Amino acid sequence: MPTATQKSAERVLIVEDEILVAIDIESVLGEMGLAPVGIAADKTSALRLAERADVALVDINLRDGPTGPQIGRDLAARGITVLFMTANPEQLGNGVPGTLGVLTKPVADAELRQAIRFAVSRREKERHAPPRSLQLFDSAA
């Protein structure tokens, strides 16, 4: 349960179809004191859970195909801070407008934590440094 001193950007949606990867991310979020709102393996599930999220970690290739970029666009349009995590960053080209950037999988837990802190800090108008492994999109500058 959040305390009065905690900021609002602590609800994180995991959009990932590999359950072991999703559970590992969920564990990292819990260790950081953030609240995972759920795991979505496809576009329909992601959009259903979106109303409960502040930040989303989004894979590109999901159960329903390469729907990650469209999910990212839709979530960003709803005011959700979107960070992509994928083994195929080239599929994003120069990025997806309104989203932060992309981490190339596999991602070390320390890099994941730093990227999540960066994404949350963007919502809180603070400036945490992104991890070196995070490729920022032009729209995130």
Side-chain angles (χ1 to χ4, degrees), residues 36-102:
V37 299
I39 297 170
D42 56 40
K43 183 177 179 181
T44 301
S45 300
L47 298 180
R48 185 172 17 96
L49 292 168
E51 69 188 41
R52 299 175 17 210
D54 299 307
V55 174
L57 303 174
V58 181
D59 192 5
I60 294 176
N61 296 302
L62 299 163
R63 185 179 299 154
D64 55 355
T67 57
Q70 184 60 54
I71 293 168
R73 257 185 232 96
D74 291 351
L75 296 178
R78 296 178 186 205
I80 297 168
T81 302
V82 176
L83 183 62
F84 291 100
M85 292 179 55
T86 181
N88 304 293
E90 66 281 352
Q91 286 183 281
L92 293 170
N94 292 326
V96 175
T99 64
L100 284 182
V102 60

Side-chain angles (χ1 to χ4, degrees), residues 10-136:
E10 51 186 35
R11 300 173 302 160
V12 183
L13 171 60
I14 302 164
V15 184
E16 171 64 63
D17 65 336
E18 294 182 40
I19 192 63
L20 295 178
V21 173
I23 290 170
D24 186 47
I25 294 168
E26 194 173 45
S27 175
V28 168
L29 293 172
E31 291 168 6
M32 294 178 70
L34 300 171
V37 299
I39 297 170
D42 56 40
K43 183 177 179 181
T44 301
S45 300
L47 298 180
R48 185 172 17 96
L49 292 168
E51 69 188 41
R52 299 175 17 210
D54 299 307
V55 174
L57 303 174
V58 181
D59 192 5
I60 294 176
N61 296 302
L62 299 163
R63 185 179 299 154
D64 55 355
T67 57
Q70 184 60 54
I71 293 168
R73 257 185 232 96
D74 291 351
L75 296 178
R78 296 178 186 205
I80 297 168
T81 302
V82 176
L83 183 62
F84 291 100
M85 292 179 55
T86 181
N88 304 293
E90 66 281 352
Q91 286 183 281
L92 293 170
N94 292 326
V96 175
T99 64
L100 284 182
V102 60
L103 281 172
T104 301
K105 292 194 294 188
V107 179
D109 282 357
E111 294 281 314
L112 178 59
R113 284 184 183 87
Q114 190 176 359
I116 293 167
R117 276 194 296 275
F118 174 72
V120 169
S121 76
R122 294 294 295 243
R123 291 190 62 80
E124 297 172 351
K125 307 298 186 235
E126 296 174 5
R127 288 290 178 233
H128 283 262
R132 283 183 282 174
S133 60
L134 176 61
Q135 175 192 342
L136 290 174

